[in-house]
Amino acid sequence: MPRPKAVVVMGVSGCGKSVVGEALAKGLGGVAIDGDDLHSADAVAKMRAGIALNDGDRWPWLDRIGAALRNSEAIAVVACSALKRSYRDRLRSACPGLRFVFLDGDAAVIEPRLRARQGHYMPASLLQSQLQALERPEADEGDVVRIDIDQPLAMVIASSQGAVGGCPAARDDGSH
């Protein structure tokens, strides 16, 4: 599998996007970007107050993420929810050759993670709104690989690395 130009690690809040994105970036010799850092102050304030973002809040954010992907000199790995197909399509338009890693899990796995997380503005109370907004990638989105997060983190990372190619776990030359 050829190395991607860029990767978006996607899924609802609390699925492990930032941790997996960091590991992928390291394995690819690229740069990790946390999409949370690209939200506007107004969007962060809404989420902190327990108010779900709408499309109007997300479009400028997705444009900033698209620019970060497109303008990166190294392979960029961005942690971004990319909940809807239209969001993924917008990112694809900004950065052709993009690949997605969808960290998929249900509320029973994710909610405890959100409740245990400290220092993040996204409250666990918004998980249901994210799950409702999530449009699972369909078969015709061939640039998306689904990884089940109901397994040890090391396995999630290894599966993600194998899916994007170019990472040590994906090599077939015995140099793992």
Side-chain angles (χ1 to χ4, degrees):
M1 175 178 296
R3 286 169 58 103
K5 175 181 178 5
V7 177
V8 170
V9 181
M10 63 164 286
V12 298
S13 186
C15 69
K17 296 182 299 289
S18 298
V19 172
V20 172
E22 288 275 343
L24 283 178
K26 183 177 180 184
L28 290 166
V31 60
I33 301 168
D34 195 327
D36 286 346
D37 297 337
L38 299 176
H39 275 297
S40 69
D42 288 343
V44 171
K46 276 181 90 168
M47 289 183 280
R48 187 168 277 139
I51 301 169
L53 299 182
N54 59 38
D55 288 350
D57 299 315
R58 289 189 178 110
W59 294 128
W61 173 64
L62 290 164
D63 291 340
R64 287 188 292 276
I65 290 172
L69 290 165
R70 182 178 56 249
N71 297 329
S72 179
E73 293 186 20
I75 294 173
V77 180
V78 176
C80 166
S81 56
L83 296 174
K84 296 182 180 182
R85 184 183 188 129
S86 60
Y87 301 170
R88 295 186 294 276
D89 287 344
R90 193 169 189 121
L91 294 172
R92 288 181 182 106
S93 293
C95 184
L98 182 60
R99 194 162 308 145
F100 293 85
V101 174
F102 172 37
L103 301 181
D104 192 14
D106 61 30
V109 172
I110 298 168
E111 190 170 3
R113 295 178 182 188
L114 283 173
R115 294 202 183 283
R117 190 161 66 174
Q118 306 228 344
H120 196 277
Y121 55 78
M122 181 74 168
S125 63
L126 288 179
L127 176 59
Q128 285 307 315
S129 70
Q130 286 213 325
L131 289 169
Q132 288 171 348
L134 176 63
E135 294 172 3
R136 294 178 173 282
E138 298 188 20
D140 67 331
E141 290 185 80
D143 55 2
V144 181
V145 63
R146 180 194 166 275
I147 306 292
D148 184 352
I149 63 166
D150 192 12
Q151 57 183 324
L153 179 59
M155 291 181 69
V156 171
I157 291 171
S159 296
S160 299
Q161 289 173 329
V164 299
C167 292
R171 290 188 188 150
D172 292 324
D173 62 5
S175 63
H176 301 262

